[in-house]
Amino acid sequence: MSIPRQSNGRPLTFYTLDLDAAVAYARKAIAEGLNVEITDRDLRDTKTYRSFQRSPVLVKYWGVTVTEGTSAMGYRSASAHQIIEAVESTSPLEYGATHADDLVAFCRDYYKSSEAAG
């Protein structure tokens, strides 16, 4: 079953309380070659409290945004060498992100493979 789409072909965003359902939707989109972003969101009651600031968080839920083609234009993309440089030259706190060991290993292996082939 493919990702549902609007009449103009744009993939639908999926919202759920169930993280497993969010991940399943994301995997389905990735299998179709689409770009995915999972975000945690706050559900609030602005009808009663009249503003987001006054309203308590009722529950956390998940949003899965699915897009086509944006990664190829550089949006939400990184180069493997930039990840290696970030890990080797700065701390996660300075850089503002943590790169998992599997991602760093993939980047290093990629360049080792391309050097061996070249």
Side-chain angles (χ1 to χ4, degrees), residues 32 49 51 97 116:
E32 292 182 29
Y49 292 90
S51 74

Side-chain angles (χ1 to χ4, degrees), residues 2 6 8 13 15 17 20-22 25 27 30 32-33 38 42 56 58 68-69 78 84 86 88 92 108 116:
S2 64
Q6 295 176 329
N8 63 5
T13 298
Y15 298 107
L17 292 174
D20 291 335
Y25 192 81
R27 287 180 193 261
I30 290 168
E32 292 182 29
I38 299 176
D42 297 339
L58 304 175
E68 295 180 291
I84 294 170
E88 292 177 349
R108 288 185 173 137

Side-chain angles (χ1 to χ4, degrees), residues 2-43:
S2 64
I3 293 295
R5 297 173 181 267
Q6 295 176 329
S7 59
N8 63 5
R10 183 177 173 271
L12 297 182
T13 298
F14 178 63
Y15 298 107
T16 181
L17 292 174
D18 183 352
L19 179 57
D20 291 335
V23 170
Y25 192 81
R27 287 180 193 261
K28 189 184 325 178
I30 290 168
E32 292 182 29
L34 301 171
N35 298 309
V36 174
E37 183 173 3
I38 299 176
T39 55
D40 67 312
R41 304 175 63 92
D42 297 339
L43 186 65

Side-chain angles (χ1 to χ4, degrees), residues 79-81 83-84 102-112:
S79 180
H81 80 277
I83 290 174
I84 294 170
D102 61 347
L103 176 61
V104 175
F106 179 89
C107 293
R108 288 185 173 137
D109 289 347
Y110 171 79
Y111 286 113
K112 285 179 188 173

